[in-house]
Amino acid sequence: MTVSTTLRDVIGLDGDLPRLSEATLILIDFQNTYRTGVMALPDADTALDAAARLLERARAAGARVVHVVNDGGEGSPYDIRVEIGQIDKRVAPVDGEPVVVKGFPNSFHETELLEVLRRSAAGPELVLAGFMTHMCVQFTAQGAFNRGYRPTVVAEACATRPLAGPDGTPIPAQALHAAALTTIGDLFGRIAPKVTDLPA
């Protein structure tokens, strides 16, 4: 099968991956929500381990780090006031790393994220990782692109869940993950398959 040229290539967007030292790392919804219960993802722990390696490399390179969490309110799997909604300890923020609270898949929508980036004098390079690939990661990448940023998504540090397709056929988590990354890579951003693909 012959594949189509990406929109990025058609309009001449740069495909080079950024240096971590020149980027802001945005970790999206790495909450316990996705490790247990109704929202548990098959590959959550694998992605979290990769995200921990990414965070370690980013901190060592001097990258800015921003954490994003989804607050669904009391009683929901996204209740940030209780354990289920807390950030996993492997990627927990340290002093000086802001935590942005959101209520929509796009981390820029009705949040302080844009102001946080502006206050830190962040450049255009953003590195994204998180849950879920087809939802908050994809729409945050789109939101970043629409605001003039240059997002890169680290594939192995993201995960999603299996869902039913439009005709009811089950879509495996890995297929949905790949489809979301393909959508991002067609226009909104670059894809780094592995943490180690990003130069320090």
Side-chain angles (χ1 to χ4, degrees):
M1 178 177 63
T2 302
V3 298
S4 300
T5 304
T6 67
L7 289 170
R8 295 183 65 84
D9 286 340
V10 168
I11 62 179
L13 292 178
D14 181 16
D16 293 339
L17 297 177
R19 303 189 71 84
L20 282 170
S21 59
E22 299 170 356
T24 298
L25 174 62
I26 301 178
L27 300 176
I28 304 165
D29 297 354
F30 278 122
Q31 294 162 262
N32 294 324
T33 307
Y34 293 108
R35 296 191 62 240
T36 185
V38 66
M39 293 303 300
L41 309 181
D43 298 317
D45 281 319
T46 300
L48 274 160
D49 287 342
R53 296 193 302 272
L54 175 62
L55 179 57
E56 181 180 22
R57 291 189 73 228
R59 286 171 174 163
R64 300 169 183 85
V65 178
V66 179
H67 302 261
V68 176
V69 293
N70 184 55
D71 185 6
E74 293 184 12
S76 78
Y78 298 92
D79 185 352
I80 63 174
R81 287 154 290 275
V82 296
E83 181 66 20
I84 189 68
Q86 295 296 303
I87 296 173
D88 186 272
K89 293 178 181 178
R90 283 167 280 189
V91 291
V94 297
D95 288 346
E97 294 177 353
V99 178
V100 172
V101 179
K102 68 178 178 63
F104 295 90
N106 178 358
S107 299
F108 289 90
H109 185 68
E110 295 185 5
T111 74
E112 297 179 350
L113 180 55
L114 188 58
E115 183 57 31
V116 166
L117 293 175
R118 287 173 173 167
R119 280 200 309 264
S120 69
E125 299 291 355
L126 305 180
V127 174
L128 311 182
F131 298 147
M132 294 177 285
T133 321
H134 81 286
M135 189 57 62
C136 296
V137 175
Q138 178 173 319
F139 287 102
T140 298
Q142 179 183 355
F145 176 85
N146 290 346
R147 288 163 177 80
Y149 288 96
R150 293 162 46 91
T152 295
V153 175
V154 183
E156 71 167 336
C158 301
T160 193
R161 70 198 202 279
L163 290 171
D167 63 355
T169 301
I171 307 297
Q174 278 296 326
L176 189 57
H177 173 75
L181 293 169
T182 303
T183 299
I184 295 166
D186 191 26
L187 178 62
F188 303 123
R190 297 147 296 176
I191 306 298
K194 301 287 185 184
V195 170
T196 51
D197 291 330
L198 292 171

